[in-house]
Short mmCIF file of all heavy atoms in Angstrom, two decimals:
data_model
loop_
_atom_site.label_atom_id
_atom_site.label_comp_id
_atom_site.label_asym_id
_atom_site.label_seq_id
_atom_site.Cartn_x
_atom_site.Cartn_y
_atom_site.Cartn_z
N MET I 1 152.61 55.76 -31.13
CA MET I 1 152.42 56.73 -32.20
C MET I 1 152.06 58.08 -31.58
O MET I 1 151.41 58.15 -30.55
CB MET I 1 151.27 56.25 -33.10
CG MET I 1 150.92 57.18 -34.22
SD MET I 1 149.58 56.51 -35.23
CE MET I 1 150.49 55.35 -36.25
N LYS I 2 152.52 59.13 -32.27
CA LYS I 2 152.07 60.45 -31.80
C LYS I 2 151.73 61.34 -32.98
O LYS I 2 152.21 61.13 -34.10
CB LYS I 2 153.11 61.09 -30.88
CG LYS I 2 154.40 61.44 -31.53
CD LYS I 2 155.38 61.98 -30.48
CE LYS I 2 156.73 62.21 -31.11
NZ LYS I 2 157.75 62.59 -30.16
N ILE I 3 150.89 62.33 -32.69
CA ILE I 3 150.53 63.34 -33.68
C ILE I 3 151.46 64.52 -33.46
O ILE I 3 151.66 64.97 -32.32
CB ILE I 3 149.08 63.82 -33.47
CG1 ILE I 3 148.10 62.66 -33.50
CG2 ILE I 3 148.72 64.87 -34.52
CD1 ILE I 3 146.74 63.02 -32.91
N VAL I 4 152.03 65.01 -34.54
CA VAL I 4 152.83 66.23 -34.48
C VAL I 4 152.10 67.29 -35.30
O VAL I 4 151.72 67.04 -36.45
CB VAL I 4 154.25 65.99 -35.03
CG1 VAL I 4 155.06 67.29 -35.00
CG2 VAL I 4 154.95 64.91 -34.22
N ALA I 5 151.89 68.44 -34.70
CA ALA I 5 151.16 69.52 -35.38
C ALA I 5 152.10 70.68 -35.66
O ALA I 5 152.86 71.10 -34.79
CB ALA I 5 150.01 70.00 -34.49
N ASP I 6 152.04 71.17 -36.89
CA ASP I 6 152.78 72.37 -37.26
C ASP I 6 151.80 73.54 -37.17
O ASP I 6 151.01 73.79 -38.07
CB ASP I 6 153.33 72.22 -38.68
CG ASP I 6 154.18 73.41 -39.10
OD1 ASP I 6 154.06 74.48 -38.46
OD2 ASP I 6 154.95 73.26 -40.05
N ARG I 7 151.86 74.22 -36.05
CA ARG I 7 150.84 75.23 -35.78
C ARG I 7 150.93 76.41 -36.73
O ARG I 7 149.95 77.12 -36.94
CB ARG I 7 150.95 75.69 -34.33
CG ARG I 7 150.67 74.54 -33.39
CD ARG I 7 151.06 74.84 -31.98
NE ARG I 7 149.94 75.40 -31.25
CZ ARG I 7 149.85 75.40 -29.93
NH1 ARG I 7 150.81 74.87 -29.19
NH2 ARG I 7 148.81 75.92 -29.35
N LYS I 8 152.08 76.61 -37.33
CA LYS I 8 152.21 77.72 -38.30
C LYS I 8 151.39 77.44 -39.56
O LYS I 8 150.96 78.36 -40.24
CB LYS I 8 153.69 77.92 -38.69
CG LYS I 8 154.55 78.42 -37.53
CD LYS I 8 155.93 78.85 -38.00
CE LYS I 8 156.74 77.71 -38.62
NZ LYS I 8 157.09 76.63 -37.70
N LYS I 9 151.22 76.16 -39.88
CA LYS I 9 150.46 75.81 -41.09
C LYS I 9 148.96 75.74 -40.83
O LYS I 9 148.18 75.76 -41.77
CB LYS I 9 150.91 74.44 -41.61
CG LYS I 9 152.29 74.45 -42.24
CD LYS I 9 152.53 73.08 -42.86
CE LYS I 9 153.90 72.96 -43.47
NZ LYS I 9 154.17 71.58 -43.88
N CYS I 10 148.56 75.60 -39.59
CA CYS I 10 147.15 75.41 -39.28
C CYS I 10 146.35 76.64 -39.67
O CYS I 10 146.70 77.76 -39.32
CB CYS I 10 146.98 75.12 -37.79
SG CYS I 10 145.25 74.97 -37.31
N ALA I 11 145.27 76.41 -40.40
CA ALA I 11 144.41 77.52 -40.85
C ALA I 11 143.06 77.51 -40.16
O ALA I 11 142.17 78.27 -40.52
CB ALA I 11 144.24 77.44 -42.36
N GLY I 12 142.89 76.63 -39.19
CA GLY I 12 141.68 76.67 -38.39
C GLY I 12 140.43 76.10 -39.04
O GLY I 12 139.32 76.51 -38.72
N HIS I 13 140.59 75.15 -39.95
CA HIS I 13 139.42 74.55 -40.59
C HIS I 13 138.62 73.66 -39.64
O HIS I 13 137.47 73.38 -39.90
CB HIS I 13 139.82 73.66 -41.76
CG HIS I 13 140.62 74.35 -42.80
ND1 HIS I 13 140.08 75.30 -43.63
CD2 HIS I 13 141.92 74.24 -43.14
CE1 HIS I 13 141.04 75.71 -44.46
NE2 HIS I 13 142.16 75.09 -44.18
N ALA I 14 139.29 73.13 -38.62
CA ALA I 14 138.67 72.22 -37.64
C ALA I 14 138.23 70.90 -38.25
O ALA I 14 137.41 70.20 -37.68
CB ALA I 14 137.50 72.89 -36.92
N ARG I 15 138.75 70.56 -39.42
CA ARG I 15 138.36 69.27 -40.00
C ARG I 15 138.93 68.12 -39.18
O ARG I 15 138.31 67.07 -39.06
CB ARG I 15 138.87 69.16 -41.43
CG ARG I 15 138.19 70.14 -42.32
CD ARG I 15 138.27 69.69 -43.73
NE ARG I 15 137.89 70.79 -44.60
CZ ARG I 15 138.08 70.79 -45.91
NH1 ARG I 15 138.67 69.77 -46.47
NH2 ARG I 15 137.70 71.79 -46.63
N CYS I 16 140.11 68.33 -38.63
CA CYS I 16 140.71 67.29 -37.78
C CYS I 16 139.82 67.06 -36.56
O CYS I 16 139.52 65.92 -36.21
CB CYS I 16 142.11 67.69 -37.37
SG CYS I 16 142.21 69.32 -36.58
N ALA I 17 139.39 68.14 -35.94
CA ALA I 17 138.58 68.03 -34.72
C ALA I 17 137.22 67.40 -35.01
O ALA I 17 136.62 66.79 -34.13
CB ALA I 17 138.41 69.41 -34.09
N ALA I 18 136.75 67.54 -36.25
CA ALA I 18 135.47 66.91 -36.61
C ALA I 18 135.61 65.40 -36.67
O ALA I 18 134.63 64.68 -36.50
CB ALA I 18 134.97 67.46 -37.94
N VAL I 19 136.83 64.92 -36.92
CA VAL I 19 137.05 63.48 -36.99
C VAL I 19 137.17 62.89 -35.59
O VAL I 19 136.60 61.83 -35.31
CB VAL I 19 138.33 63.18 -37.81
CG1 VAL I 19 138.72 61.71 -37.70
CG2 VAL I 19 138.14 63.60 -39.26
N SER I 20 137.88 63.56 -34.72
CA SER I 20 138.10 62.99 -33.39
C SER I 20 138.44 64.09 -32.39
O SER I 20 139.12 65.07 -32.74
CB SER I 20 139.25 61.99 -33.43
OG SER I 20 139.64 61.63 -32.12
N GLU I 21 138.01 63.87 -31.16
CA GLU I 21 138.38 64.84 -30.13
C GLU I 21 139.84 64.72 -29.71
O GLU I 21 140.32 65.49 -28.89
CB GLU I 21 137.44 64.74 -28.92
CG GLU I 21 137.30 63.37 -28.35
CD GLU I 21 136.10 63.30 -27.40
OE1 GLU I 21 135.05 63.91 -27.70
OE2 GLU I 21 136.24 62.63 -26.36
N LEU I 22 140.57 63.77 -30.31
CA LEU I 22 142.02 63.75 -30.14
C LEU I 22 142.63 65.09 -30.55
O LEU I 22 143.64 65.53 -30.02
CB LEU I 22 142.63 62.70 -31.08
CG LEU I 22 142.78 61.27 -30.64
CD1 LEU I 22 143.24 60.44 -31.83
CD2 LEU I 22 143.74 61.14 -29.49
N PHE I 23 142.00 65.72 -31.56
CA PHE I 23 142.55 66.94 -32.14
C PHE I 23 141.93 68.15 -31.44
O PHE I 23 140.99 68.77 -31.93
CB PHE I 23 142.28 66.97 -33.65
CG PHE I 23 142.94 65.83 -34.37
CD1 PHE I 23 142.26 64.64 -34.55
CD2 PHE I 23 144.23 65.95 -34.86
CE1 PHE I 23 142.86 63.58 -35.20
CE2 PHE I 23 144.84 64.89 -35.51
CZ PHE I 23 144.15 63.70 -35.68
N GLU I 24 142.45 68.43 -30.25
CA GLU I 24 141.91 69.54 -29.48
C GLU I 24 142.31 70.86 -30.12
O GLU I 24 143.46 71.04 -30.50
CB GLU I 24 142.47 69.50 -28.06
CG GLU I 24 141.95 68.37 -27.22
CD GLU I 24 142.89 68.09 -26.05
OE1 GLU I 24 143.48 69.05 -25.53
OE2 GLU I 24 143.02 66.92 -25.71
N LEU I 25 141.36 71.75 -30.18
CA LEU I 25 141.63 73.08 -30.74
C LEU I 25 141.76 74.10 -29.61
O LEU I 25 141.22 73.91 -28.52
CB LEU I 25 140.50 73.49 -31.68
CG LEU I 25 140.19 72.52 -32.81
CD1 LEU I 25 139.09 73.09 -33.69
CD2 LEU I 25 141.42 72.22 -33.65
N ASP I 26 142.48 75.19 -29.92
CA ASP I 26 142.58 76.26 -28.93
C ASP I 26 141.30 77.12 -29.02
O ASP I 26 140.44 76.88 -29.88
CB ASP I 26 143.88 77.05 -29.13
CG ASP I 26 143.89 77.89 -30.40
OD1 ASP I 26 142.82 78.11 -30.99
OD2 ASP I 26 144.99 78.32 -30.79
N PRO I 27 141.15 78.11 -28.15
CA PRO I 27 139.90 78.88 -28.15
C PRO I 27 139.64 79.62 -29.46
O PRO I 27 138.51 80.01 -29.74
CB PRO I 27 140.10 79.87 -27.00
CG PRO I 27 141.11 79.22 -26.11
CD PRO I 27 142.02 78.45 -27.02
N ASN I 28 140.66 79.80 -30.28
CA ASN I 28 140.49 80.48 -31.57
C ASN I 28 140.22 79.51 -32.72
O ASN I 28 140.12 79.92 -33.87
CB ASN I 28 141.73 81.31 -31.88
CG ASN I 28 141.93 82.40 -30.85
OD1 ASN I 28 140.99 83.09 -30.47
ND2 ASN I 28 143.15 82.55 -30.37
N GLY I 29 140.16 78.20 -32.41
CA GLY I 29 139.84 77.22 -33.44
C GLY I 29 141.04 76.67 -34.17
O GLY I 29 140.88 75.98 -35.18
N TYR I 30 142.22 76.95 -33.67
CA TYR I 30 143.43 76.39 -34.28
C TYR I 30 143.89 75.20 -33.45
O TYR I 30 143.53 75.07 -32.27
CB TYR I 30 144.54 77.44 -34.34
CG TYR I 30 144.23 78.56 -35.29
CD1 TYR I 30 143.50 79.66 -34.88
CD2 TYR I 30 144.64 78.49 -36.62
CE1 TYR I 30 143.18 80.69 -35.76
CE2 TYR I 30 144.32 79.51 -37.51
CZ TYR I 30 143.60 80.60 -37.08
OH TYR I 30 143.28 81.60 -37.95
N ILE I 31 144.70 74.37 -34.08
CA ILE I 31 145.15 73.17 -33.37
C ILE I 31 145.87 73.58 -32.07
O ILE I 31 146.65 74.53 -32.06
CB ILE I 31 146.03 72.29 -34.30
CG1 ILE I 31 146.20 70.89 -33.74
CG2 ILE I 31 147.39 72.92 -34.60
CD1 ILE I 31 145.01 70.01 -33.87
N GLY I 32 145.58 72.87 -31.01
CA GLY I 32 145.97 73.35 -29.69
C GLY I 32 147.17 72.67 -29.07
O GLY I 32 147.42 72.85 -27.87
N PHE I 33 147.93 71.90 -29.85
CA PHE I 33 149.11 71.23 -29.26
C PHE I 33 150.19 71.10 -30.32
O PHE I 33 149.91 71.21 -31.53
CB PHE I 33 148.73 69.85 -28.71
CG PHE I 33 148.13 68.93 -29.74
CD1 PHE I 33 148.94 68.14 -30.55
CD2 PHE I 33 146.75 68.85 -29.92
CE1 PHE I 33 148.39 67.31 -31.51
CE2 PHE I 33 146.19 68.02 -30.88
CZ PHE I 33 147.02 67.24 -31.68
N ASP I 34 151.41 70.87 -29.86
CA ASP I 34 152.53 70.63 -30.78
C ASP I 34 152.71 69.13 -31.01
O ASP I 34 153.05 68.70 -32.11
CB ASP I 34 153.82 71.22 -30.21
CG ASP I 34 153.74 72.73 -30.11
OD1 ASP I 34 153.33 73.37 -31.10
OD2 ASP I 34 154.06 73.27 -29.04
N GLU I 35 152.54 68.36 -29.97
CA GLU I 35 152.72 66.90 -30.03
C GLU I 35 151.73 66.25 -29.09
O GLU I 35 151.45 66.78 -28.02
CB GLU I 35 154.11 66.51 -29.53
CG GLU I 35 155.19 66.59 -30.54
CD GLU I 35 156.48 65.97 -30.00
OE1 GLU I 35 156.43 65.17 -29.04
OE2 GLU I 35 157.51 66.31 -30.55
N LYS I 36 151.27 65.09 -29.48
CA LYS I 36 150.33 64.40 -28.61
C LYS I 36 150.46 62.90 -28.82
O LYS I 36 150.43 62.43 -29.96
CB LYS I 36 148.92 64.85 -28.95
CG LYS I 36 147.87 64.21 -28.12
CD LYS I 36 146.55 64.88 -28.38
CE LYS I 36 145.60 64.55 -27.26
NZ LYS I 36 144.39 65.35 -27.33
N SER I 37 150.58 62.14 -27.75
CA SER I 37 150.62 60.68 -27.85
C SER I 37 149.23 60.15 -28.15
O SER I 37 148.23 60.68 -27.67
CB SER I 37 151.11 60.07 -26.54
OG SER I 37 152.45 60.43 -26.33
N VAL I 38 149.19 59.08 -28.94
CA VAL I 38 147.92 58.48 -29.34
C VAL I 38 147.84 57.07 -28.78
O VAL I 38 148.70 56.23 -29.08
CB VAL I 38 147.81 58.41 -30.88
CG1 VAL I 38 146.49 57.77 -31.29
CG2 VAL I 38 147.97 59.79 -31.49
N PRO I 39 146.82 56.77 -27.98
CA PRO I 39 146.66 55.39 -27.51
C PRO I 39 146.44 54.46 -28.71
O PRO I 39 145.83 54.87 -29.71
CB PRO I 39 145.40 55.45 -26.64
CG PRO I 39 145.16 56.89 -26.36
CD PRO I 39 145.79 57.67 -27.46
N LYS I 40 146.95 53.24 -28.59
CA LYS I 40 146.88 52.28 -29.69
C LYS I 40 145.47 52.18 -30.29
O LYS I 40 145.30 52.19 -31.51
CB LYS I 40 147.31 50.91 -29.14
CG LYS I 40 147.71 49.94 -30.20
CD LYS I 40 149.22 49.98 -30.40
CE LYS I 40 149.64 49.10 -31.55
NZ LYS I 40 150.76 49.69 -32.29
N ALA I 41 144.49 52.13 -29.44
CA ALA I 41 143.11 51.92 -29.91
C ALA I 41 142.60 53.09 -30.75
O ALA I 41 141.65 52.94 -31.51
CB ALA I 41 142.18 51.70 -28.71
N LEU I 42 143.22 54.25 -30.60
CA LEU I 42 142.73 55.44 -31.33
C LEU I 42 143.57 55.75 -32.56
O LEU I 42 143.33 56.75 -33.25
CB LEU I 42 142.72 56.65 -30.39
CG LEU I 42 141.78 56.54 -29.19
CD1 LEU I 42 141.82 57.82 -28.36
CD2 LEU I 42 140.35 56.28 -29.63
N GLU I 43 144.54 54.89 -32.88
CA GLU I 43 145.41 55.18 -34.02
C GLU I 43 144.64 55.31 -35.34
O GLU I 43 144.94 56.21 -36.13
CB GLU I 43 146.53 54.14 -34.12
CG GLU I 43 147.56 54.35 -33.02
CD GLU I 43 148.72 53.38 -33.09
OE1 GLU I 43 148.74 52.52 -34.00
OE2 GLU I 43 149.61 53.49 -32.24
N PRO I 44 143.64 54.48 -35.63
CA PRO I 44 142.90 54.67 -36.89
C PRO I 44 142.23 56.04 -36.96
O PRO I 44 142.22 56.67 -38.02
CB PRO I 44 141.86 53.53 -36.86
CG PRO I 44 142.48 52.49 -36.00
CD PRO I 44 143.22 53.25 -34.93
N LEU I 45 141.68 56.50 -35.85
CA LEU I 45 141.07 57.83 -35.84
C LEU I 45 142.12 58.91 -36.05
O LEU I 45 141.88 59.90 -36.75
CB LEU I 45 140.38 58.07 -34.49
CG LEU I 45 138.92 57.70 -34.38
CD1 LEU I 45 138.43 58.02 -32.96
CD2 LEU I 45 138.09 58.45 -35.40
N ALA I 46 143.27 58.74 -35.44
CA ALA I 46 144.35 59.71 -35.60
C ALA I 46 144.76 59.79 -37.07
O ALA I 46 144.97 60.88 -37.62
CB ALA I 46 145.54 59.32 -34.73
N GLN I 47 144.83 58.63 -37.73
CA GLN I 47 145.20 58.63 -39.15
C GLN I 47 144.16 59.34 -39.99
O GLN I 47 144.48 60.10 -40.90
CB GLN I 47 145.40 57.18 -39.63
CG GLN I 47 146.68 56.58 -39.10
CD GLN I 47 146.74 55.07 -39.22
OE1 GLN I 47 145.73 54.41 -39.45
NE2 GLN I 47 147.93 54.52 -39.04
N ARG I 48 142.90 59.11 -39.69
CA ARG I 48 141.84 59.79 -40.44
C ARG I 48 141.89 61.29 -40.24
O ARG I 48 141.72 62.07 -41.17
CB ARG I 48 140.47 59.26 -40.01
CG ARG I 48 140.10 57.99 -40.71
CD ARG I 48 138.73 57.49 -40.29
NE ARG I 48 137.71 58.51 -40.34
CZ ARG I 48 136.57 58.46 -39.66
NH1 ARG I 48 136.31 57.44 -38.87
NH2 ARG I 48 135.68 59.41 -39.77
N GLY I 49 142.11 61.71 -39.00
CA GLY I 49 142.17 63.14 -38.71
C GLY I 49 143.33 63.81 -39.41
O GLY I 49 143.20 64.92 -39.94
N VAL I 50 144.48 63.15 -39.43
CA VAL I 50 145.65 63.71 -40.10
C VAL I 50 145.37 63.84 -41.60
O VAL I 50 145.69 64.87 -42.22
CB VAL I 50 146.89 62.83 -39.83
CG1 VAL I 50 148.04 63.18 -40.76
CG2 VAL I 50 147.33 62.98 -38.38
N ARG I 51 144.73 62.83 -42.18
CA ARG I 51 144.43 62.91 -43.61
C ARG I 51 143.39 63.99 -43.92
O ARG I 51 143.33 64.49 -45.04
CB ARG I 51 143.91 61.55 -44.11
CG ARG I 51 145.01 60.53 -44.33
CD ARG I 51 144.55 59.42 -45.26
NE ARG I 51 143.38 58.73 -44.77
CZ ARG I 51 143.40 57.63 -44.03
NH1 ARG I 51 144.56 57.07 -43.72
NH2 ARG I 51 142.30 57.06 -43.60
N ALA I 52 142.58 64.34 -42.93
CA ALA I 52 141.52 65.32 -43.16
C ALA I 52 142.04 66.75 -43.23
O ALA I 52 141.33 67.65 -43.66
CB ALA I 52 140.47 65.22 -42.05
N CYS I 53 143.27 66.97 -42.82
CA CYS I 53 143.78 68.35 -42.75
C CYS I 53 144.21 68.82 -44.14
O CYS I 53 145.15 68.29 -44.71
CB CYS I 53 144.96 68.43 -41.79
SG CYS I 53 145.66 70.09 -41.76
N PRO I 54 143.54 69.83 -44.68
CA PRO I 54 143.88 70.29 -46.02
C PRO I 54 145.19 71.08 -46.08
O PRO I 54 145.73 71.30 -47.16
CB PRO I 54 142.70 71.18 -46.41
CG PRO I 54 142.08 71.60 -45.12
CD PRO I 54 142.38 70.54 -44.12
N GLU I 55 145.68 71.49 -44.93
CA GLU I 55 146.91 72.30 -44.89
C GLU I 55 148.15 71.44 -44.67
O GLU I 55 149.25 71.97 -44.61
CB GLU I 55 146.82 73.34 -43.77
CG GLU I 55 145.60 74.24 -43.84
CD GLU I 55 145.57 75.10 -45.10
OE1 GLU I 55 146.65 75.43 -45.62
OE2 GLU I 55 144.47 75.45 -45.55
N ARG I 56 147.96 70.15 -44.52
CA ARG I 56 149.07 69.24 -44.19
C ARG I 56 149.83 69.74 -42.96
O ARG I 56 151.06 69.73 -42.91
CB ARG I 56 150.02 69.07 -45.37
CG ARG I 56 149.34 68.43 -46.55
CD ARG I 56 150.29 68.30 -47.72
NE ARG I 56 149.59 67.78 -48.89
CZ ARG I 56 149.62 66.51 -49.27
NH1 ARG I 56 150.31 65.63 -48.57
NH2 ARG I 56 148.98 66.12 -50.32
N ALA I 57 149.08 70.19 -41.99
CA ALA I 57 149.68 70.70 -40.76
C ALA I 57 149.92 69.59 -39.74
O ALA I 57 150.54 69.83 -38.72
CB ALA I 57 148.76 71.76 -40.16
N LEU I 58 149.43 68.39 -40.04
CA LEU I 58 149.50 67.29 -39.07
C LEU I 58 150.29 66.13 -39.66
O LEU I 58 150.18 65.85 -40.85
CB LEU I 58 148.09 66.80 -38.74
CG LEU I 58 147.13 67.86 -38.18
CD1 LEU I 58 145.71 67.31 -38.15
CD2 LEU I 58 147.56 68.29 -36.79
N LYS I 59 151.05 65.46 -38.82
CA LYS I 59 151.65 64.21 -39.26
C LYS I 59 151.74 63.24 -38.10
O LYS I 59 151.62 63.64 -36.93
CB LYS I 59 153.00 64.42 -39.92
CG LYS I 59 154.07 64.97 -39.03
CD LYS I 59 155.34 65.16 -39.84
CE LYS I 59 156.42 65.80 -38.96
NZ LYS I 59 157.64 66.08 -39.68
N LEU I 60 151.95 62.00 -38.44
CA LEU I 60 152.04 60.95 -37.43
C LEU I 60 153.47 60.45 -37.38
O LEU I 60 154.11 60.28 -38.41
CB LEU I 60 151.11 59.79 -37.78
CG LEU I 60 149.63 60.10 -37.71
CD1 LEU I 60 148.84 58.94 -38.29
CD2 LEU I 60 149.22 60.35 -36.27
N ILE I 61 153.94 60.23 -36.19
CA ILE I 61 155.27 59.66 -35.99
C ILE I 61 155.07 58.33 -35.28
O ILE I 61 154.39 58.27 -34.25
CB ILE I 61 156.13 60.58 -35.08
CG1 ILE I 61 156.17 62.01 -35.63
CG2 ILE I 61 157.51 60.00 -34.87
CD1 ILE I 61 157.17 62.25 -36.70
N GLY I 62 155.66 57.30 -35.84
CA GLY I 62 155.50 55.97 -35.24
C GLY I 62 156.33 55.83 -33.97
O GLY I 62 157.30 56.56 -33.74
N ASP I 63 155.95 54.88 -33.15
CA ASP I 63 156.73 54.56 -31.96
C ASP I 63 158.03 53.92 -32.39
O ASP I 63 158.07 53.18 -33.37
CB ASP I 63 155.97 53.59 -31.07
CG ASP I 63 154.73 54.25 -30.47
OD1 ASP I 63 154.79 55.45 -30.20
OD2 ASP I 63 153.72 53.55 -30.32
N PRO I 64 159.11 54.18 -31.66
CA PRO I 64 160.35 53.48 -31.97
C PRO I 64 160.17 51.98 -31.73
O PRO I 64 159.39 51.60 -30.85
CB PRO I 64 161.37 54.08 -31.00
CG PRO I 64 160.59 54.77 -29.96
CD PRO I 64 159.23 55.07 -30.52
N PRO I 65 160.83 51.15 -32.51
CA PRO I 65 160.68 49.71 -32.30
C PRO I 65 161.14 49.33 -30.88
O PRO I 65 162.09 49.91 -30.37
CB PRO I 65 161.60 49.09 -33.35
CG PRO I 65 162.15 50.20 -34.16
CD PRO I 65 161.76 51.49 -33.55
N GLU I 66 160.43 48.39 -30.30
CA GLU I 66 160.82 47.95 -28.96
C GLU I 66 162.11 47.15 -29.05
O GLU I 66 162.30 46.38 -29.98
CB GLU I 66 159.73 47.08 -28.34
CG GLU I 66 158.53 47.91 -27.92
CD GLU I 66 157.40 47.03 -27.42
OE1 GLU I 66 157.69 45.93 -26.92
OE2 GLU I 66 156.25 47.46 -27.55
N SER I 67 162.99 47.38 -28.09
CA SER I 67 164.23 46.63 -28.12
C SER I 67 163.95 45.19 -27.71
O SER I 67 163.04 44.92 -26.93
CB SER I 67 165.28 47.26 -27.21
OG SER I 67 165.04 46.89 -25.89
N SER I 68 164.74 44.27 -28.26
CA SER I 68 164.46 42.86 -28.00
C SER I 68 165.27 42.32 -26.84
O SER I 68 165.24 41.15 -26.53
CB SER I 68 164.75 42.03 -29.26
OG SER I 68 166.05 42.31 -29.69
N SER I 69 165.99 43.20 -26.15
CA SER I 69 166.82 42.71 -25.03
C SER I 69 166.01 42.53 -23.78
O SER I 69 164.94 43.05 -23.64
CB SER I 69 167.97 43.67 -24.76
OG SER I 69 167.47 44.94 -24.44
S1 LIG U 101 142.36 70.39 -40.06
FE1 LIG U 101 144.48 71.17 -40.14
S2 LIG U 101 144.27 73.33 -40.56
FE2 LIG U 101 142.31 72.59 -39.79
S3 LIG U 101 142.32 72.92 -37.55
FE3 LIG U 101 143.04 70.86 -37.96
S4 LIG U 101 145.28 71.09 -38.07
FE4 LIG U 101 144.42 73.11 -38.35
#
């Protein structure tokens, strides 16, 4: 899973960063990355942080299914 951030929508509320340090902010308090991989163990925190964003600037993209070959 990865977090995708739309930096144009980010308004710098830092609500995501309050949920988890996964959501690193830049020095001005805006989301500091475009995409970030999330370790399996941190996926629940990533989901909470994405839901906390009032600007809908964050979304989660699932991992592609593993091939069975
Ligand atoms: S909660 Fe949303 S708007 Fe606020 S800093 Fe995080 S990504 Fe930006």
Side-chain angles (χ1 to χ4, degrees):
M1 178 179 280
K2 66 184 175 186
I3 304 164
V4 178
D6 183 341
R7 297 167 91 159
K8 293 190 298 295
K9 288 187 182 172
C10 176
H13 303 289
R15 294 202 193 167
C16 54
V19 170
S20 169
E21 53 194 39
L22 272 173
F23 298 90
E24 289 160 34
L25 304 183
D26 70 16
N28 297 315
Y30 292 87
I31 196 75
F33 58 87
D34 295 312
E35 276 189 21
K36 180 171 198 170
S37 294
V38 180
K40 199 94 185 144
L42 297 182
E43 287 182 359
L45 268 180
Q47 286 164 345
R48 277 181 49 201
V50 167
R51 282 200 302 267
C53 177
E55 305 297 331
R56 297 179 184 261
L58 303 169
K59 64 182 177 183
L60 293 171
I61 306 277
D63 292 326
E66 286 175 28
S67 80
S68 53
S69 59

